Amino acid sequence: MKTIKLFSGIMLLAILVGACTSVRVATDYDRQVDFGKYKTFAFYKPGIDKAEISDLDKKRILRSIQYELQSRGYRLSENPDILVSIFTKEVDRVSVYNNVGWGWGWYGYPYWGGGYNSVSTETEGSLYIDLIDAGKKELVWQGKGTGYLVTNGNMAKKEERINEFVKEILAQFPPVTTQVASVEN
């Protein structure tokens, strides 16, 4: 019985830790666009300048985007097919835990023990990556990654987390489009 409880506790901990480290991704795109025509990219400075994060974090994000796109065969160009812009958003999540205990006391009588309250705050961030058709100046693809951020001052972990966000978001680009054949009656 003790091994089942121990195993259950370990599984719960693994699920909670996994939930805190994963990046939730959502994408949207224009279904009328042929994404196969895009071969080159550049960064869209006016959009990037509006992102409300430090210049150092912007550099980290842009380096990661550049690495991911180039590893997929896209080339950085002064005459690009697509422009890359970013947008960020942060939300502080506050959790309050009321820990009250109960158990069996003297002579088999149940007791209700006083507990303690604990409060934790975590920062959840969203990174949007927008891809804009350079010729038409129209948004053609948007990816959003949401997850908890590393804010404890460990720069290596922070950069690793940024790379994870970018990699997970761009894993959805280019979109896999399926053509539905029309059936005539």
Side-chain angles (χ1 to χ4, degrees):
M1 189 67 162
K2 286 183 180 181
T3 51
I4 291 174
K5 286 183 181 179
L6 178 63
F7 180 72
S8 297
I10 291 171
M11 289 303 294
L12 178 63
L13 181 63
I15 290 169
L16 290 174
V17 169
C20 291
T21 60
S22 66
V23 177
R24 296 176 310 279
V25 175
T27 62
D28 194 9
Y29 62 94
D30 184 343
R31 291 179 174 260
Q32 304 301 314
V33 172
D34 174 17
F35 288 92
K37 69 181 180 181
Y38 299 125
K39 306 291 181 206
T40 60
F41 71 97
F43 293 105
Y44 184 63
K45 187 168 173 22
I48 293 167
D49 287 344
K50 291 179 184 176
E52 295 181 8
I53 55 174
S54 75
D55 287 344
L56 293 172
D57 282 343
K58 284 180 190 177
K59 286 180 186 179
R60 291 179 181 105
I61 293 169
L62 298 180
R63 275 194 302 258
S64 186
I65 291 171
Q66 183 174 338
Y67 172 80
E68 287 297 324
L69 289 176
Q70 286 179 329
S71 70
R72 294 168 189 194
Y74 297 92
R75 290 180 294 107
L76 189 61
S77 172
E78 292 194 21
N79 188 21
D81 300 323
I82 53 175
L83 299 170
V84 180
S85 186
I86 62 169
F87 175 77
T88 60
K89 195 161 77 171
E90 281 186 13
V91 175
D92 285 332
R93 301 278 182 205
V94 177
S95 300
V96 178
Y97 300 99
N98 186 5
N99 299 303
V100 177
W102 67 273
W104 297 100
W106 291 97
Y107 306 109
Y109 292 108
Y111 74 89
W112 186 263
Y116 61 93
N117 293 327
S118 62
V119 178
S120 68
T121 303
E122 294 179 303
T123 302
E124 184 176 70
S126 295
L127 170 63
Y128 294 80
I129 299 176
D130 293 341
L131 300 180
I132 302 160
D133 184 294
K136 296 179 181 178
K137 302 289 191 257
E138 292 179 354
L139 180 67
V140 293
W141 186 90
Q142 183 178 66
K144 174 188 174 187
T146 303
Y148 289 101
L149 305 176
V150 175
T151 58
N152 63 359
N154 184 331
M155 291 302 117
K157 284 189 177 186
K158 184 176 191 176
E159 191 158 344
E160 183 180 309
R161 188 68 171 148
I162 287 171
N163 292 339
E164 182 182 1
F165 264 73
V166 171
K167 184 176 184 171
E168 292 292 322
I169 295 167
L170 290 179
Q172 306 294 317
F173 179 79
V176 178
T177 56
T178 56
Q179 297 294 329
V180 178
S182 64
V183 179
E184 293 184 28
N185 292 347

